[in-house]
Amino acid sequence: MTQRVMVITGGHGVLGRAVLEAAQAAGLAVAVIDHAEAHPVPAGVLEIGGVDLTDPAQAEGAVASVISRFGRLDVLANIAGGFVWQTTDDAAPAWDRMQALNLTTALNASRAALPYLKAAADGRIVNVGSAAALKPGAGMGAYGAAKLGVHALTQALAEELKTTAVTVNAVLPSIIDTPTNRKDMPDADPAAWVAPADLAAVILFLASPESRAMTGALVPVTGRV
């Protein structure tokens, strides 16, 4: 198979679906890995549901399914994650949960994919960090710390892989225009936010062979916020 293959974790979310559509439009074969059970996906997409990426064994099993179907893996887009706004004195701290959903999932998926990405001509890992993590405000401690972990993983792994053809970069979006964010912030102007399709376009560039000169980059994608 000569077609490049992209794995999208968290592919059933709003951003994940936008990346899926952009990847298919760019001619990539696509596999979606998600914690949610089976969802409808476009024809030709490999859908692997019910996967807990906080479990290394499940991450390895999901990637093995991709290899079984396509025989190769060229791009890993770590979209899986979660968000909670919570002050530090909350009675049920979410710090461990935020680390698990945002950092551990990216770590386990990356570790599972690395042997196959190293075998690719232009292996790519694209992570999703956060612009808000650079200077977390009130209630953003748990989420910001987890995303800063993603930033550190991105830069450390990029250094570790500099002797290979694998690059590792991250996008740092501000607020993404999703139905949930519109509901939670009814007085805000979503036109100033980042459209999922626009963020997906940046991710697809970082996933492409043309981005070979970039690795370890933390790319702000902040709209007009």
Side-chain angles (χ1 to χ4, degrees):
M1 180 178 179
T2 58
Q3 189 178 23
R4 298 180 80 233
V5 176
M6 182 180 204
V7 167
I8 304 170
T9 72
H12 291 322
V14 173
L15 178 57
R17 179 52 66 102
V19 173
L20 186 160
E21 292 172 355
Q24 284 201 305
L28 279 71
V30 181
V32 169
I33 300 173
D34 205 287
H35 189 263
E37 297 296 339
H39 278 52
V41 293
V45 174
L46 174 61
E47 198 259 357
I48 309 170
V51 180
D52 180 2
L53 288 173
T54 67
D55 179 351
Q58 291 193 41
E60 291 173 5
V63 170
S65 295
V66 175
I67 300 303
S68 178
R69 167 71 174 273
F70 296 113
R72 62 186 288 174
L73 173 54
D74 301 88
V75 180
L76 171 65
N78 282 313
I79 310 296
F83 173 79
V84 64
W85 188 96
Q86 182 186 78
T87 56
T88 306
D89 60 356
D90 191 280
W95 289 67
D96 288 346
R97 181 159 62 94
M98 288 294 94
Q99 290 286 328
L101 290 177
N102 293 287
L103 177 57
T104 305
T105 56
L107 172 63
N108 288 341
S110 298
R111 285 172 54 86
L114 272 176
Y116 308 103
L117 294 172
K118 288 178 180 179
D122 289 286
R124 300 286 181 265
I125 297 175
V126 186
N127 296 322
V128 178
S130 171
L134 300 177
K135 188 177 180 180
M140 297 290 285
Y143 176 75
K147 287 300 190 180
L148 283 174
V150 173
H151 300 177
L153 171 65
T154 299
Q155 294 180 314
L157 191 52
E159 288 296 321
E160 292 166 15
L161 295 172
K162 276 192 172 177
T163 59
T164 75
V166 182
T167 65
V168 190
N169 296 290
V171 292
L172 277 57
S174 57
I175 302 170
I176 302 174
D177 186 3
T178 67
T180 297
N181 284 336
R182 287 192 178 214
K183 179 181 177 181
D184 291 345
M185 293 175 276
D187 297 326
D189 176 14
W193 299 346
V194 178
D198 291 339
L199 182 54
V202 179
I203 291 171
L204 261 290
F205 170 72
L206 294 175
S208 72
E210 288 75 17
S211 69
R212 64 178 60 89
M214 296 176 64
T215 194
L218 305 177
V219 183
V221 187
T222 55
R224 294 186 287 108
V225 173

